[in-house]
Amino acid sequence: MTKKILVTGGAGYIGSHTCIALHEAGYEVVVYDNLSNSSREAINRVFSIIGQPISFIEGDIRDAETLRQVFAAHAFFGVIHFAGLKAVGESVAKPLLYYNNNVSGSITLLEVMAEYDVKNLVFSSSATVYGDPETLPIDETSPRSCTNPYGQSKLTVEHILEDLAVSDASWNLIPLRYFNPVGAHPSGQIGEDPNDIPNNLMPYISQVAVGKLEKLSIFGNDYPTVDGTGVRDFIHVTDLAQGHVAALNYLQQHASSKNGSDTTGSVGFLPINLGTGKGTSVLDLVAAFTKVSKQPIPYQFAARRAGDIASCYASADKAKELLGWEAKLSITEMCQDTWRWQSQNPNGYDSH
Ligand code: NAD
Ligand code: UD1
């Protein structure tokens, strides 16, 4: 039986890549997105990559009535919940917007899932829930703390999921804690399309390489790292997408659900890191991108960015052990695919 999956936020950067991976793995996808940070063009390109349309509903996760209509119309095996706002700086300026969208929205979604007895969920969490880690690599038992409203909203949803699992063993809840997603689909048709000047490193580098931005500011060269610049665990978005397929496959094998799982077990609350386990410095990433794109990437050193940490990389052992998943793609492939997307679509989805 083909399993149907509701993908909230499926028009966004990670969601669009995951829709393709789900389709390729034999899942049927229904996308639910309010397009607040994405475009219909992304969905059209997903159609073009997979060679057929998928169901798309324009809707908000805070709108219980519309969600009810969707759950009434489809027998879902589970939900992958990407929908959320993700800009750290904006969350500091607009905390109510972030708590409303990310926390209240998740509560509304969970309430409607409960009403329709759909209790399998994969949630987009983040390595940001680990704050400034005490030890590296970071495993799932590391203490959690957050310093900004975006991070707090992710951590709060994790706490809600934990409480839910305690309250009722029929919930099967997997928060995936992403490290630093980068890259694009190898077709060059879909990728990350920041609205404004990018906050994150990879899109900033690629916009410098394509000539949209003049030069990169590297925030800090006095960290206790290999070359003084920040170290992160960059993970290719298509590897990340496969991690979601692996999580759903795990739910099929271990969770009970009226809509088609194979067993009567319970997963409860099961957080899993999705990272490569390898740290790469800012300067290393700039060098790799320069080599791949053959473009100059001018940079200057600037002050540390408030809230940044020196180093962050995952222990990816739990994902390998439980899900049989591990990241396969290298930093070079992450740069190649980002560059193909950026050079073919210098203005993102507005380039068509
Ligand atoms: P994105 O902004 O590209 O995608 C999020 C999607 O959710 C967008 O299409 C947006 O329109 C939609 N959305 C937002 N609020 C909504 C609402 N109320 N109702 C319906 N749709 C709504 O972001 P992304 O990079 O694809 O991230 C996906 C998820 O992963 C987010 O929850 C994000 O916080 C989380 N995450 C992202 C990163 C990253 O670096 N990209 C890292 C860790 C976690
Ligand atoms: C940031 C967010 C984090 C979020 C993650 C993924 C902050 C403080 N943290 O993490 O909550 O989960 O994005 O969306 O915003 N850098 C530069 N110049 C730039 C941009 C970045 O030097 O123009 C450096 C940063 O200082 C850091 C590294 O590049 O050392 C990676 O930065 P970024 O891509 O923003 O990711 P994170 O800081 O890990």
Side-chain angles (χ1 to χ4, degrees):
M1 180 175 124
T2 307
K3 310 279 189 298
K4 243 188 215 190
I5 309 298
L6 179 68
V7 183
T8 75
Y13 170 46
I14 305 170
S16 56
H17 289 82
T18 304
C19 287
I20 294 167
L22 289 171
H23 172 81
E24 286 169 352
Y27 288 98
E28 193 180 331
V29 171
V30 176
V31 171
Y32 187 86
D33 197 305
N34 67 359
L35 301 178
S36 60
N37 195 38
S38 50
S39 69
R40 265 179 199 280
E41 180 59 15
I43 291 289
N44 291 339
R45 293 193 186 187
V46 169
F47 294 174
S48 127
I49 290 168
I50 67 179
Q52 66 181 75
I54 51 175
S55 304
F56 171 71
I57 297 139
E58 187 170 343
D60 196 296
I61 51 165
R62 293 164 294 182
D63 175 357
E65 251 336 289
T66 306
L67 277 178
R68 282 191 190 102
Q69 287 166 19
V70 175
F71 277 80
H74 300 273
F76 292 118
F77 167 73
V79 176
I80 304 186
H81 177 28
F82 293 105
L85 299 173
K86 62 167 183 176
V88 173
E90 185 186 49
S91 80
V92 175
K94 300 177 181 171
L96 293 179
L97 174 66
Y98 272 66
Y99 288 117
N100 182 269
N101 198 81
N102 294 4
V103 179
S104 298
S106 297
I107 292 172
T108 303
L109 173 67
L110 289 162
E111 283 171 344
V112 176
M113 287 175 68
E115 277 175 43
Y116 287 85
D117 200 19
V118 176
K119 292 186 169 170
N120 297 328
L121 176 82
V122 177
F123 170 63
S124 294
S125 189
S126 168
T128 197
V129 301
Y130 296 119
D132 195 350
E134 283 164 18
T135 50
L136 292 165
I138 306 171
D139 73 23
E140 289 81 353
T141 63
S142 301
R144 289 171 292 167
S145 72
C146 287
T147 51
N148 60 69
Y150 165 70
Q152 285 291 1
S153 75
K154 290 288 164 192
L155 189 49
T156 303
V157 174
E158 282 207 6
H159 288 314
I160 292 168
L161 299 181
E162 273 176 284
D163 290 343
L164 206 50
V166 170
S167 74
D168 174 355
S170 62
W171 284 99
N172 305 294
L173 305 163
I174 304 187
L176 295 176
R177 296 178 181 151
Y178 314 150
F179 280 66
N180 288 62
V182 296
H185 191 266
S187 65
Q189 289 199 60
I190 59 169
E192 189 170 8
D193 183 18
N195 262 338
D196 214 337
I197 294 177
N199 297 309
N200 297 119
L201 180 62
M202 183 67 114
Y204 205 106
I205 291 177
S206 66
Q207 292 198 12
V208 172
V210 86
K212 281 182 76 178
L213 295 170
E214 197 187 330
K215 80 162 71 140
L216 171 72
S217 289
I218 296 183
F219 302 137
N221 62 346
D222 57 352
Y223 283 109
T225 60
V226 60
D227 57 21
T229 65
V231 165
R232 296 292 184 274
D233 186 342
F234 299 99
I235 174 168
H236 197 298
V237 66
T238 61
D239 272 336
L240 201 67
Q242 291 301 335
H244 292 76
V245 173
L248 278 183
N249 291 345
Y250 183 89
L251 287 176
Q252 264 196 73
Q253 288 154 12
H254 297 272
S256 61
S257 159
K258 61 171 188 168
N259 294 324
S261 66
D262 305 332
T263 68
T264 54
S266 174
V267 170
F269 174 80
L270 185 67
I272 299 181
N273 289 342
L274 292 185
T276 64
K278 294 182 201 102
T280 300
S281 76
V282 174
L283 281 174
D284 283 344
L285 193 67
V286 172
F289 205 95
T290 307
K291 196 167 169 200
V292 160
S293 66
K294 303 184 180 66
Q295 301 300 314
I297 301 170
Y299 64 81
Q300 65 191 8
F301 291 115
R304 290 182 179 191
R305 183 172 66 179
D308 269 359
I309 54 176
S311 295
C312 174
Y313 52 91
S315 159
D317 293 351
K318 191 172 176 185
K320 189 171 181 190
E321 214 173 285
L322 292 185
L323 307 183
W325 171 92
E326 62 185 322
K328 295 195 173 75
L329 299 172
S330 65
I331 289 285
T332 299
E333 286 157 312
M334 297 178 210
C335 293
Q336 281 166 340
D337 290 336
T338 302
W339 180 236
R340 190 178 302 108
W341 154 252
Q342 181 71 73
S343 51
Q344 289 178 12
N345 306 272
N347 296 312
Y349 290 114
D350 290 338
S351 304
H352 64 283

